[in-house]
Structure formats: structure tokens, C-alpha cells
Amino acid sequence: MALRLRSELWVRIGPQHCALALWRAGWRSHPAVALSMAGDWPEAALRSALQAVRRTGHALPRSAVVVLEDECLSYYLLPAQHRWRDAVDRARALFAVNTGDEALQVTLGLAPGGQRWLAAAVSGELVHGLGAALGSQGVAIRSMRAALAEDLQYRSADLPRGDALVALLRQRGLQLMALRHGALEALCWESCQVDVPYTVRERLMGFAVRQGLENAETCVLPADAWQHARLTGLADAEGWRLLPPLPLPAFREAGPAT
């Protein structure tokens, strides 16, 4: 249980879904409202979630923390020798050249192992759409974060300390990572049907060959209990370490958002 000095709205956005948690000020171990909504695009799912909160009779706070899943982001890994400000400028320039989007918003944090910066960028169009959806209910975006960084921080104690492959299952594919001595060295997004175990194995093993880590420890993080159940047999056969599903982000910890 943690003391919150103000009410907080936490929103996690995927390509066609939104998870939302509303925390009230005071000593709280659970949110006042926690729900998930689907939509044809992220803004639609967010609008539905906000309307659902209104129907509960709870007032919305003035600002929200928005966490974006991998399908909504682009990533770069940059050497940690760059200073933070220099790394942000470098990442913004790389993203702009490769996407043509001058309105990108870029966030930066240390990757596992501390040897590289993990830069994430979201399109200006999506930021505008999410801001408009929240603004229609009188809520402003206080900060934006990458779900990958949030999930890795939550599961940091479970990540291998040596050479390894790590796969995070998402809604529309896999976020694959190569670790060398516990430090993130390479990152690759693979679109695929995550409900087909053979496809997951094919994508993961292809990445392993490209990284020269065919015999390395393999760690798989499913997003929910359904994905976990679908992969249990394959993980046993392949010798993968299948971690328990990530809990609903609203209940990961009772500490206040920053």
C-alpha cells in the first residue's frame, strides 16, 4: 500500500486496445477503477475507456501517464557513451530520417545492462490523437512511456545475467532481444500470429541464428494467461524458460506514477 498525494490516471495503449487504471489520492493498494476496452484504433479504444470511467461516476484527474505498447513505437539502441541529451538528439535525427515524421516524440532510458540507451519514438499523429481523446474529457498527457521499458523494469530480476534470448509476446507479434552478459545488444520486432506456437518458434530461432545465439538460454514472457497456456508445451519441448504472464499493469505496484 502506498500514499498518493493526488489522483492519477494510468493508461496503457495497444494497437486495438486500452487498459486504464484510476487511482485516488490517499493510502491505496488497488485502483478505484481498472478496465480494458477494445477499439478499431488506439484513439477509439481510449475514448471508450474514458467514457466507461465516466459511467462509473468517478471524476477523472487533470493529467494522465500514457504507456505505449511496441506496435505503436519505433526503437533504436544507442551506445551509452553518448550523453543523455546528445543521445536524444541523435535518436530524433535517426527516427526523422527513417520515418519522415518531424513531429515524433522521443523518450530515452538505459537498456538492461546499462551499456546502451533504449530510444523510443511515437508518431506526432498518434500523440495528437491520444491528446485529443484525453482532452475531450479534460485530461492532459503528463508523460509518455514505452511499455517495453516498463515491462523490462518490472521483470528485471527474472532476466538472464549471461548470453540469452528474450521474447516478449505482444498482440501482433514478438519483441525479440539479444543479451550479451546480461546487457541488451540487439532488438528486433517480428510481426506474427502469436497464437500459433510454430510461428513463434520460427521467428525466435531465426533471430537466434542471426545473433549467433542458437545455444543460448531462451526466456519467453507471455502477455497473458492465454498466451502462456498456448506456449507451455512448446517451451517444455524446446527447453525455454517460460515466465508467468505479466500481471495487469494497474496492479503491478501500488506506488505512485512519476
Side-chain angles (χ1 to χ4, degrees):
M1 185 177 292
L3 174 63
R4 291 176 182 267
L5 300 180
R6 60 175 181 269
S7 294
E8 297 171 344
L9 183 65
W10 181 96
V11 178
R12 179 161 169 147
I13 296 289
Q16 291 180 299
H17 65 273
C18 169
L20 182 150
L22 173 63
W23 295 84
R24 287 297 177 208
W27 292 99
R28 298 287 185 268
S29 59
H30 291 81
V33 179
L35 52 85
S36 297
M37 302 294 289
D40 292 334
W41 57 88
E43 299 92 331
L46 176 56
R47 288 182 185 276
S48 297
L50 293 170
Q51 291 166 4
V53 174
R54 287 291 193 191
R55 289 194 292 271
T56 68
H58 287 278
L60 291 165
R62 295 181 180 178
S63 64
V65 175
V66 177
V67 180
L68 297 170
E69 294 187 359
D70 298 328
E71 294 93 328
C72 301
L73 298 168
S74 299
Y75 290 108
Y76 270 118
L77 288 173
L78 299 170
Q81 292 92 327
H82 293 309
R83 293 181 302 174
W84 185 88
R85 182 72 264 170
D86 293 339
V88 170
D89 292 341
R90 175 62 175 159
R92 184 174 286 113
L94 289 169
F95 285 127
V97 168
N98 285 281
T99 66
D101 187 349
E102 297 290 342
L104 286 168
Q105 284 201 12
V106 177
T107 62
L108 192 75
L110 278 178
Q115 296 183 12
R116 288 173 175 77
W117 293 110
L118 175 62
V122 56
S123 73
E125 181 180 1
L126 180 55
V127 173
H128 176 77
L130 297 177
L134 287 163
S136 68
Q137 301 295 328
V139 182
I141 296 176
R142 178 153 60 92
S143 66
M144 301 192 80
R145 307 177 183 179
L148 178 60
E150 298 280 308
D151 294 345
L152 291 177
Q153 181 178 17
Y154 180 80
R155 275 284 162 78
S156 60
D158 296 318
L159 295 178
R161 297 295 182 260
D163 294 354
L165 295 167
V166 178
L168 277 75
L169 274 68
R170 301 305 197 189
Q171 185 179 13
R172 293 182 175 178
L174 301 171
Q175 190 62 259
L176 299 172
M177 296 175 288
L179 303 182
R180 299 280 186 184
H181 306 294
L184 182 58
E185 183 176 86
L187 191 65
C188 176
W189 170 259
E190 289 280 359
S191 297
C192 71
Q193 292 180 274
V194 292
D195 60 341
V196 180
Y198 173 79
T199 302
V200 172
R201 179 189 182 279
E202 184 181 62
R203 297 294 193 275
L204 202 160
M205 296 311 297
F207 180 67
V209 171
R210 295 195 299 275
Q211 297 300 320
L213 292 172
E214 300 95 315
N215 299 317
E217 179 182 1
T218 299
C219 194
V220 178
L221 289 78
D224 52 42
W226 183 82
Q227 288 183 350
H228 187 278
R230 292 283 293 176
L231 287 173
T232 297
L234 178 61
D236 289 343
E238 296 290 337
W240 298 345
R241 182 154 64 98
L242 184 62
L243 295 176
L246 289 164
L248 287 174
F251 296 96
R252 289 184 184 178
E253 60 178 69
T258 55

